[in-house]
Amino acid sequence: MKKQILILTISITLLSTLIPISNCQKNSPQTVARKEDIPYIKCQVCETLASQLYNQVQKQKTQISPKKITEYQIIEIAENVCNLKKEEADWILKIDIVEQGDKLELVEQDAEGMCNSECKTIERACSQIIEYSDTDVAEYIFSSKPDLQTLTNYLCKSLSKACSTKPPPVPKNRIPGEPFMAKPAKEAEMEKMMRSMQGMPGAPGMKMYSRDDLMNNKNLGDEDGDEDEDEDESDKFASNLKKVFKEKESKKPDWKQTISKGIKDSSEALKKHAYRVSNRARQWWGGKKTGQKSNAGKIEL
């Protein structure tokens, strides 16, 4: 089955909302982790990580009450809490690394920030701490039900050793990191919406295309030999989405309504395609069974 319908919907709605942001990213700071900074912040990251694990597990317990949280659900939190592609790691986006004397301090901000080198550095430090121990941490939380301080000691002193020694002083010639830049609220909400669509059919293979590709209908997936009917429907769908995209530039309607309509339209198109495939399969199977009965009759005669 083609994934163009879902790809087009996601790509156009995302790009039509974030065009001003993409224009500003030409001169954006580097987005690679500064590994040399990790020793100065590793203990603080570990303590924050322990707090996040504790609070997110408690939140999950509240959400599913009166059911009890399972060990698998805790493992899932532990596996995702340091991965910026997952919602559980959103806390990293609110942390700013501030140089104070010969120390680096983690300062929590009110809003999420743009993910540049400092954000990637915290993610790298977090991953190094939990690394292959996410299952051990989850099992400990599930079986021992520790309070926050006990969990912090277990993770940062017993398991990872992140806080077993005092961090070294920061060199005087260290190049300062980039200033914290709050992320526009629309971009933050769009990213959350994109994440929530990961489980939809075709989402794992979704791709992002440039504005020119979308408007010119170029390079939108490989040809896979689908029937003309499906291709015509995809072309019509792409044409309609391009129309919506152009209308958005001139009229600027509510972006949430545009996204919701695009998702609804793609869902309907996918349902129609699934119905046609199912119908063809039933026809093929019915013909096969008829042929088998006919052959059986000839043998009996």
Side-chain angles (χ1 to χ4, degrees):
M1 182 191 299
K2 279 191 173 182
K3 298 177 182 177
Q4 290 183 354
I5 295 174
L6 183 59
I7 292 170
L8 281 167
T9 304
I10 296 172
S11 302
I12 291 178
T13 50
L14 177 62
L15 290 177
S16 62
T17 304
L18 301 183
I19 287 170
I21 297 171
S22 62
N23 290 339
C24 297
Q25 289 179 338
K26 294 179 181 178
N27 300 318
S28 60
Q30 61 175 349
T31 55
V32 295
R34 296 177 59 170
K35 293 184 285 187
E36 66 275 11
D37 280 352
I38 292 179
Y40 313 120
I41 63 172
K42 197 168 187 177
C43 180
Q44 295 177 71
V45 171
C46 187
E47 292 172 344
T48 309
L49 169 59
S51 177
Q52 284 296 322
L53 285 169
Y54 180 82
N55 291 331
Q56 290 188 33
V57 169
Q58 297 304 315
K59 181 180 178 181
Q60 181 82 330
K61 286 181 178 179
T62 302
Q63 289 177 343
I64 64 174
S65 180
K67 294 181 180 180
K68 291 186 177 181
I69 193 170
T70 64
E71 185 174 357
Y72 173 78
Q73 289 173 313
I74 300 177
I75 290 175
E76 191 172 26
I77 293 173
E79 287 178 343
N80 296 336
V81 73
C82 294
N83 183 353
L84 280 167
K85 295 179 181 179
K86 303 295 184 178
E87 182 180 358
E88 290 84 352
D90 282 351
W91 61 275
I92 297 176
L93 299 171
K94 292 185 176 182
I95 304 297
D96 184 23
I97 300 177
V98 179
E99 188 170 340
Q100 294 183 351
D102 62 352
K103 297 180 181 180
L104 293 182
E105 299 288 342
L106 300 187
V107 179
E108 184 175 1
Q109 305 295 318
D110 295 330
E112 293 181 3
M114 303 298 293
C115 187
N116 297 315
S117 65
E118 291 188 352
C119 167
K120 295 292 186 179
T121 303
I122 296 171
E123 180 189 34
R124 174 69 70 89
C126 185
S127 298
Q128 287 183 3
I129 292 165
I130 205 163
E131 206 165 9
Y132 303 111
S133 304
D134 48 7
T135 304
D136 296 331
V137 174
E139 183 180 352
Y140 178 74
I141 295 173
F142 180 75
S143 58
S144 301
K145 298 177 177 56
D147 58 26
L148 177 56
Q149 187 58 52
T150 304
L151 176 60
T152 303
N153 290 336
Y154 172 77
L155 178 60
C156 303
K157 294 181 179 179
S158 301
L159 194 61
S160 70
K161 312 293 183 184
C163 295
S164 58
T165 58
K166 187 177 179 180
V170 177
K172 293 182 179 180
N173 61 349
R174 174 186 176 270
I175 300 175
E178 69 276 353
F180 184 87
M181 294 177 60
K183 182 184 298 183
K186 284 188 176 181
E187 182 180 359
E189 191 167 351
M190 173 60 73
E191 288 179 358
K192 288 180 173 61
M193 182 174 292
M194 290 287 289
R195 260 198 318 250
S196 69
M197 296 171 67
Q198 288 294 318
M200 293 179 63
M206 64 184 175
K207 301 176 183 178
M208 298 306 298
Y209 297 94
S210 70
R211 177 188 177 91
D212 293 336
D213 285 343
L214 289 169
M215 295 304 295
N216 296 325
N217 229 2
K218 293 179 180 178
N219 303 322
L220 297 180
D222 299 328
E223 294 297 327
D224 57 2
D226 281 355
E227 297 185 11
D228 293 338
E229 185 180 359
D230 295 333
E231 292 178 352
D232 291 341
E233 185 173 345
S234 296
D235 292 339
K236 290 178 182 178
F237 189 78
S239 178
N240 290 336
L241 283 176
K242 282 164 56 179
K243 184 178 179 182
V244 172
F245 185 74
K246 290 177 180 178
E247 288 177 354
K248 179 175 180 62
E249 289 184 330
S250 59
K251 299 180 181 179
K252 296 184 179 180
D254 182 73
W255 66 282
K256 291 184 179 179
Q257 292 179 359
T258 303
I259 293 172
S260 299
K261 185 178 184 303
I263 294 172
K264 183 178 179 181
D265 290 346
S266 65
S267 177
E268 291 299 323
L270 287 171
K271 286 179 182 178
K272 290 179 182 178
H273 183 83
Y275 175 78
R276 286 198 303 273
V277 172
S278 176
N279 190 43
R280 290 168 188 164
R282 286 197 300 270
Q283 292 174 355
W284 174 83
W285 182 248
K288 186 176 181 181
K289 290 178 70 177
T290 302
Q292 289 176 345
K293 289 180 180 179
S294 176
N295 292 334
K298 291 179 181 179
I299 294 172
E300 290 176 0
L301 290 173

